[in-house]
Amino acid sequence: MTIHHIYIKTGLAFAICLTISACKKFVEVAEPIDQISTEVVFQSDSKAASAVRGLYGEMVGSTGFFTSVLDFSGAVQISAGVSADEIALSSSSNQFNEFYTNAISSSNGVNEGSIWGPTYNVIYNTNAVIESLAKSPSVSATGKKQFTAEAKFVRAANYFYLVNLYGDVPMPTTTDYRLNATLPNVPTDQIYALILEDLKYAKDNLSPAYVGTQRLRANKYAAAALLARVYLYKKDWVNAEALATEVIDGAGKTMYDLEPDLNKTFLTSSKEVILQLQQPGTNLYTWDGYNFISSGTPQYPISDTLFNSFEVNDQRKTSWIKTNTLTIGNVPVNYNFPFKYKLNSGTGTTRTESMVFLRLSEVYLIRSEARTQQSKLTEAIADLDVIRKRAINTVPFPSTNPTIGKDALLDLIAHERFVELFTEVGHRWLDLKRTGKADEVLGKKPNWRPQAKLYPIPKSDIDKNPFLKQNPGYN
């Protein structure tokens, strides 16, 4: 696959290239002026820590709006949102239109340059960190365990999105660029095996405590939460429930709790947050806020399907969605757009918002679904209503019917995931696919076809790698 960077940019302007000669051969460009060899970067715990911090930053970094918005920060949020039924486009000239109309070209620049390529860049750099830590004589044993666990967490997170967006994909686990350039597609089960291995290592070797004062680097519970999500996708209901319980009960409300005020859910001070990703630089806003918030016609309005899906008195509709009323031809027209993040401008050093990658609400919904699948309906209803009760301002609270059947309860959980997790890290798109509902729900969208459930592997990589196969329905 094409990997545009084989060095790591960190918050302290460190960068890694395994050797100068290999770097030049692989990317065919001059080495970065801020490049420092791995011998220097990994000669102390503090310098190794800066490289690891860079992995998180790389997931939400950008060198230019839209032209290179990296995976979780913008491209996945928007591409998945418009591929599903949660957000729309206000203009057919928008560069995400091929995703919206489910007619993505294998040469689509967003697909290649803002999702596929950057995600593999992060994976390559996690491999570089893991290898370099293993070889370093200077980093302490405690540091090696911590940093390796974090790198494996990040690698697992990126592979999770690759396998769910593209299906069978190459799975590089080393920095051998010659080997990586000719890797074939690997079956999804094999990729999931690596994801599980990495996350188990991370959970076993990370502390419950966070590094620093904010939740910007993975801890034991972040690994457990992502493991719970993976087990849910794998239909391993027992382990999904167990890992979710480890987060909900093991951490206790002293560490995590739902924020009673919905407007505080996505703040850096939120007790609901399990892991946030902070964009490098001095911008105070997230890419979500920058992309979604508008004073006029929003680029990415909330779909009518989502807007009309909220229950009566659901405060998420007013707290997490904002409406602009514009006059068009003397007729007032309402435009609704995502408003989970409140900032779309400003610079400084003290951030109040960072992109939420994992939060407690999702973990409750994971456990509710896993319990339902095991016919533990009473416990599943209790988890579901924890989320509903926080959102629905009705007295008395309309509790879920305790006599509800299994299939009907699964439908309610799917609905709750829709209205609770909309426009967050691709949940709706991935939910429709993993539950087998995509064809049914999205069948009326333009150009919908079953093959659209996977994005195309970039044609440029297909052309370069004779062992790489395209997904069905694309050329």
Side-chain angles (χ1 to χ4, degrees), residues 152 155 191-202 227:
K152 288 190 173 186
R155 183 169 69 179
I191 299 170
Y192 267 119
L194 177 65
I195 292 170
L196 290 171
E197 178 185 327
D198 278 353
L199 290 177
K200 289 175 183 177
Y201 182 93
L227 258 177

Side-chain angles (χ1 to χ4, degrees), residues 41-53 129 133 139 147:
V41 172
F42 291 95
Q43 71 178 197
S44 69
D45 282 26
S46 61
K47 290 182 178 180
S50 71
V52 171
R53 286 197 301 270
V129 167
L133 284 168
V139 177
F147 304 143

Side-chain angles (χ1 to χ4, degrees), residues 423-444:
T423 67
E424 292 183 50
V425 292
H427 281 300
R428 176 62 173 176
W429 176 235
L430 303 189
D431 280 347
L432 289 174
K433 297 195 298 177
R434 72 176 176 85
T435 58
K437 298 289 186 180
D439 291 332
E440 173 188 339
V441 172
L442 304 177
K444 295 181 180 180

